[in-house]
Amino acid sequence: MWSSNDKGLLAELEIELAAVRLGVPVFRPPEHARCDLAFDVGGRIWRVQCKWGGLSPAKDAIVVHTGAIRLTPGGYVRTTYSDREVDLFGVYCGELDRCFLLPVAVSAGKQLQHLRLQPARNNQRACITLADDFTFEGA
C-alpha cells in the first residue's frame, strides 16, 4: 500500500508527464511552495497543485482531497487553496490511469471534490462536476 506521500509524488509525476506529452512547458517551483508545478500555456504561467484521486466505493466518482493538512505544534491544521495561491488542480486517478485539470474556482475553499464518472441517475445536471468536462487533454 502506498503512503499519501507516495501517492502525491506519483500524481505529480503523472501530471507532469501528461503535460510534456502535450508539448506544454513545465516548471517546478521551489520546495514547500503552495503549488507543485507551473505550466506555460498561451503566454501565461498557470500554477498547478497536484492531487491524487481515488475511486469512490461505488466506482462512480473520483474523490479528490483538495485541501491540505499539516501538523503544527498546536495540532493538525486543515487549509484550503484559493485563487491567490493556485490556478489549477491537477488530479491523477491511479485506478483509471487518467489525469484531469480543474480550475481552482471549482474547488476553492473545499476540502473534498467529487468528479462524477457518469451522469446522475436522477438526471440532475446542476451542482455536479463531471470528470469528462475536465479531462487533461481537453483543458
Side-chain angles (χ1 to χ4, degrees):
M1 188 68 185
W2 290 336
S3 71
S4 60
N5 286 341
D6 293 337
K7 289 178 181 179
L9 178 59
L10 182 58
E12 190 175 318
L13 292 170
E14 290 288 348
I15 292 163
E16 181 177 12
L17 181 60
V20 170
R21 284 185 173 146
L22 292 173
V24 174
V26 178
F27 304 99
R28 290 186 161 272
E31 281 295 315
H32 306 295
R34 279 299 265 174
C35 64
D36 296 316
L37 301 172
F39 296 164
D40 184 354
V41 179
R44 178 179 172 199
I45 302 297
W46 297 82
R47 301 162 298 171
V48 182
Q49 176 61 42
C50 299
K51 296 292 184 181
W52 176 273
L55 287 180
S56 66
K59 302 202 182 305
D60 61 350
I62 300 166
V63 181
V64 185
H65 293 271
T66 53
I69 302 171
R70 69 181 189 282
L71 182 60
T72 68
Y76 286 99
V77 175
R78 293 178 182 269
T79 58
T80 58
Y81 294 89
S82 73
D83 58 1
R84 292 181 309 233
E85 300 166 305
V86 299
D87 301 304
L88 302 166
F89 284 102
V91 177
Y92 174 68
C93 179
E95 293 149 296
L96 299 177
D97 193 26
R98 290 182 61 192
C99 293
F100 304 88
L101 277 178
L102 284 80
V104 71
V106 172
S107 296
K110 295 181 182 177
Q111 286 284 335
L112 194 66
Q113 179 71 52
H114 289 80
L115 302 176
R116 294 186 60 91
L117 295 171
Q118 53 201 7
R121 289 188 295 264
N122 65 358
N123 293 322
Q124 176 182 342
R125 293 194 177 122
C127 301
I128 64 169
T129 307
L130 291 173
D132 285 341
D133 291 342
F134 301 98
T135 59
F136 199 93
E137 296 80 12

